[in-house]
Amino acid sequence: MNINSKHISTNIRGDLSGGLLAAIIGLPMGLAFGVQSGLGAQAGIYTAIILGLIAGFIGGTKTLISDPTGPMTVVAATVVSMGILSAGDLDNALPLIIGTFVLAGIFELIFGILDFGKYVKLMPYPVVSSFMAGIGLIIISMQIFPILGHVSPKGFLDIISDLQTPLSNFNSQALLLGGITIAIIYLLPKITTKVPSILVALIASTVISVIFKMEVPIIGNIPRSLPFLHINEISLLGWGDLKIMIGPAIMLGGLGVIDSLLTSVVADNLTKSNHDSRKTVIGQGIGNILVSILGGIPGAGATMGTVTNIQGGGNTKLSGIVKAIFLFVIIVGIADYIEQIPMAALAGILINIGINIIDFKGIKMLLKVPKQDAAVWTIVLLFTLFDNLLNAVAVGFTLASILFIGRVTKGMKNSQSKVRLNDLVDQEEIPRKLAKSIYVQNIDGPIFFGFANQYRDFCSQLNDMMIVIIRMENIPFMDQSGLLTLESVVKDWHNRGIQVYITGANQDIKELLTNVNIVPTLISHENCFDTFRACLLYTSDAADEEDSV
């Protein structure tokens, strides 16, 4: 067997393994998100299978796994509840619901064709962090009622304002099953990571419920037939319905782009590859159109499934297709057992997912980063919880942009007042014996959210260097995105054996680097210099000492 044949064989085995693990992880999540949407467990499974197949085949991220996701399901559930409120019941609301979902897929397809996805990379970190925190809190709040044995309202405000209902009359058996589910999810990985803790928790809770004949709400009947085209429902829509559908559809379409491409960035970091944002979004758009016509809910690239796929060996588009096929086989084979799954167990799973979605690292940094970033984070969180997700992102991005303009103006003014002509023309020569092993990085301007990805990509290309000197004389400020990018870059350089020095940082940047522990955890105080000349003298002396030894 030649080298190419061995490589292909290894890829296939990895894709089969990664796809199977992603299917196992996708099963309970698909069921849980389907139930949470209000359309039933089967709607989530339809999405996991159909979207996974279409997006896996067409998409531009090789290892991306597409499933129902928390952010998309939160909006989908709102669309379903508003449709029912308007039409009176689910059957009468279906045309409006399906029409909105199909239109969302069309918008997502248009966004993909126009390559709007490239702008997701410019999203400021505080906006993304707060957005994810809000989604996590919404998902967790929506499980309070089910884990206590009740049907949950859909809106965050409705849930919080009516908490006395489940608390005053809770189902102790449901609460016990939910607690067991959560305990297994968190404790099993401490014993072994060879089996997915979510799947073990789901099976254990269901078995306990059946053996002890617990009186708790369960998933119930799951249709055995294949999904069918809902063309008749769509044909009932009129032009007047478009006014109702267009807002939520744009929200879902835009959110699908953000959700999928953020997961694609995670996949790129794990596989050291680059995704095609245009193809990825086009695949998601086409997939969501078909999913919606067949009675599913809109989905997107799922971080948990994607990471599981990569860790399981998946490395080509085949892994996503295999995942969809495996999931279909699993569903057909064990539908009778799936119907017995307690709703409280699914609530326990979703609580775990909600907690994992929250960006605790970003929250811990709130008191240490610039006040403007913390303000943006707080405002986006409030919009996410009490308004809607698309408005939250739009408001956050707008605020971050306005604050950035103000900070650039102030930063450049301060920088110009401290620069002298002599500082610009008095350039130092790097000693010849060090020239080949030292890279001097001059940065002229702020390291902020718009520059972060470009800076990370540029730094990743540095090779065959012993030392990198980052000249910060002309950096007026760094925002939270810049700080996290610098942290990631320095860690990568350390892993490649590269020493890092900083020169000329102003007092504000020094304090920021210290507050978030980049200094001295990643870059020691000894490697920070007030001037470029002092750094060169230090490295020259160090080189002389090594030569003398």
Side-chain angles (χ1 to χ4, degrees):
M1 183 181 292
N2 59 37
I3 295 177
N4 286 337
S5 298
K6 288 183 179 179
H7 181 67
I8 292 172
S9 177
T10 300
N11 281 347
I12 292 175
R13 287 199 300 270
D15 289 336
L16 289 173
S17 173
L20 176 60
L21 288 175
I24 292 172
I25 288 292
L27 174 62
M29 291 178 62
L31 293 170
F33 284 133
V35 171
Q36 182 173 329
S37 73
L39 292 183
Q42 75 282 354
I45 293 300
Y46 291 164
T47 301
I49 295 172
I50 300 166
L51 181 61
L53 194 64
I54 301 299
F57 182 74
I58 299 175
T61 308
K62 291 181 179 180
T63 54
L64 187 69
I65 296 297
S66 298
D67 277 323
T69 66
M72 296 293 280
T73 303
V74 167
V75 179
T78 302
V79 171
V80 172
S81 61
M82 289 177 61
I84 294 174
L85 186 64
S86 173
D89 57 48
L90 182 59
D91 289 337
N92 290 326
L94 272 181
L96 201 62
I97 294 169
I98 295 172
T100 302
F101 290 168
V102 171
L103 188 58
I106 293 173
F107 276 122
E108 193 170 10
L109 177 59
I110 293 171
F111 295 155
I113 293 172
L114 298 177
D115 200 14
F116 282 2
K118 61 187 177 183
Y119 298 111
V120 172
K121 294 181 180 180
L122 301 180
M123 192 67 63
Y125 181 82
V127 176
V128 176
S129 174
S130 181
F131 177 68
M132 298 309 292
I135 289 171
L137 289 174
I138 290 173
I139 290 175
I140 293 169
S141 70
M142 294 184 74
Q143 311 320 310
I144 297 174
F145 277 69
I147 207 167
L148 296 175
H150 294 259
V151 178
S152 177
K154 297 300 180 185
F156 181 77
L157 271 175
D158 293 334
I159 293 170
I160 300 303
S161 61
D162 195 30
L163 281 178
Q164 72 276 5
T165 298
L167 290 174
S168 61
N169 185 29
F170 66 89
N171 184 322
S172 59
Q173 293 181 338
L175 181 59
L176 175 63
L177 288 175
I180 291 173
T181 302
I182 295 172
I184 293 174
I185 290 173
Y186 280 101
L187 296 178
L188 184 61
K190 299 181 182 298
I191 302 172
T192 179
T193 57
K194 293 183 178 180
V195 291
S197 60
I198 289 180
L199 184 66
V200 173
L202 186 70
I203 294 173
S205 298
T206 304
V207 170
I208 292 172
S209 174
V210 172
I211 290 177
F212 292 98
K213 299 180 180 179
M214 291 185 171
E215 295 182 1
V216 294
I218 60 176
I219 287 180
N221 182 54
I222 294 179
R224 300 295 198 280
S225 60
L226 294 174
F228 60 91
L229 296 172
H230 289 266
I231 302 297
N232 290 336
E233 284 85 350
I234 296 176
S235 66
L236 297 175
L237 295 170
W239 286 108
D241 296 316
L242 189 61
K243 294 180 180 179
I244 302 173
M245 298 189 300
I246 195 164
I250 292 176
M251 186 187 305
L252 273 170
L255 186 57
V257 174
I258 296 170
D259 206 2
S260 296
L261 293 186
L262 289 178
T263 303
S264 294
V265 171
V266 172
D268 286 350
N269 290 335
L270 291 174
T271 60
K272 306 302 179 185
S273 60
N274 289 306
H275 69 275
D276 185 325
S277 61
R278 187 169 180 270
K279 286 185 178 179
T280 298
V281 176
I282 288 174
Q284 295 291 326
I286 294 173
N288 275 323
I289 291 171
L290 185 57
V291 160
S292 303
I293 293 175
L294 291 170
I297 57 176
T303 302
M304 188 178 297
T306 299
V307 172
T308 300
N309 177 39
I310 294 170
Q311 292 176 342
N315 45 45
T316 75
K317 287 184 177 183
L318 180 63
S319 59
I321 297 171
V322 166
K323 168 256 178 183
I325 296 172
F326 273 133
L327 191 55
F328 175 75
V329 173
I330 292 171
I331 287 297
V332 170
I334 61 172
D336 289 336
Y337 302 101
I338 291 175
E339 293 179 346
Q340 302 303 315
I341 294 175
M343 299 294 289
L346 294 181
I349 291 171
L350 285 170
I351 288 173
N352 169 70
I353 292 172
I355 292 172
N356 288 334
I357 286 176
I358 297 174
D359 177 28
F360 290 103
K361 182 177 182 179
I363 294 173
K364 290 178 181 177
M365 292 177 66
L366 279 179
L367 298 178
K368 302 175 182 178
V369 300
K371 293 179 180 179
Q372 295 94 328
D373 288 334
V376 170
W377 194 97
T378 304
I379 292 170
V380 172
L381 177 67
L382 293 175
F383 266 87
T384 302
L385 293 176
F386 300 108
D387 189 27
N388 64 65
L389 304 183
L390 194 63
N391 285 349
V393 173
V395 169
F397 190 83
T398 302
L399 277 176
S401 300
I402 293 171
L403 290 172
F404 165 70
I405 293 171
R407 288 159 71 180
V408 166
T409 303
K410 180 181 178 181
M412 294 309 295
K413 180 179 179 181
N414 292 338
S415 176
Q416 289 175 3
S417 66
K418 296 177 182 178
V419 173
R420 294 177 299 188
L421 180 61
N422 187 51
D423 296 326
L424 297 176
V425 298
D426 184 19
Q427 298 294 323
E428 300 285 349
E429 290 291 329
I430 300 174
R432 290 182 179 275
K433 59 186 176 182
L434 296 175
K436 294 182 179 180
S437 60
I438 292 182
Y439 177 80
V440 179
Q441 188 176 69
N442 293 287
I443 304 175
D444 190 7
I447 301 179
F448 70 107
F449 65 85
F451 178 63
N453 278 285
Q454 180 182 344
Y455 179 67
R456 184 188 292 111
D457 292 340
F458 179 76
C459 292
S460 67
Q461 298 173 13
L462 294 181
N463 295 308
D464 302 322
M465 294 292 167
M466 292 174 56
I467 296 172
V468 172
I469 301 175
I470 305 175
R471 298 192 66 174
M472 292 189 167
E473 289 91 339
N474 295 321
I475 301 178
F477 75 89
M478 298 173 66
D479 69 0
Q480 190 176 7
S481 299
L483 287 169
L484 289 169
T485 299
L486 181 63
E487 180 186 55
S488 173
V489 165
V490 173
K491 284 182 179 178
D492 179 59
W493 282 340
H494 282 179
N495 291 336
R496 290 192 274 153
I498 299 174
Q499 296 184 58
V500 182
Y501 297 87
I502 288 177
T503 70
N506 64 43
Q507 189 60 36
D508 289 340
I509 291 179
K510 286 179 181 178
E511 290 179 1
L512 278 176
L513 295 177
T514 303
N515 287 341
V516 300
N517 291 324
I518 292 178
V519 175
T521 303
L522 295 178
I523 303 174
S524 66
H525 288 294
E526 291 76 15
N527 285 13
C528 299
F529 299 88
D530 290 332
T531 67
F532 182 53
R533 179 193 290 268
C535 182
L536 284 183
L537 290 174
Y538 178 87
T539 54
S540 297
D541 291 341
D544 289 338
E545 290 178 6
E546 290 182 4
D547 289 343
S548 63
V549 174

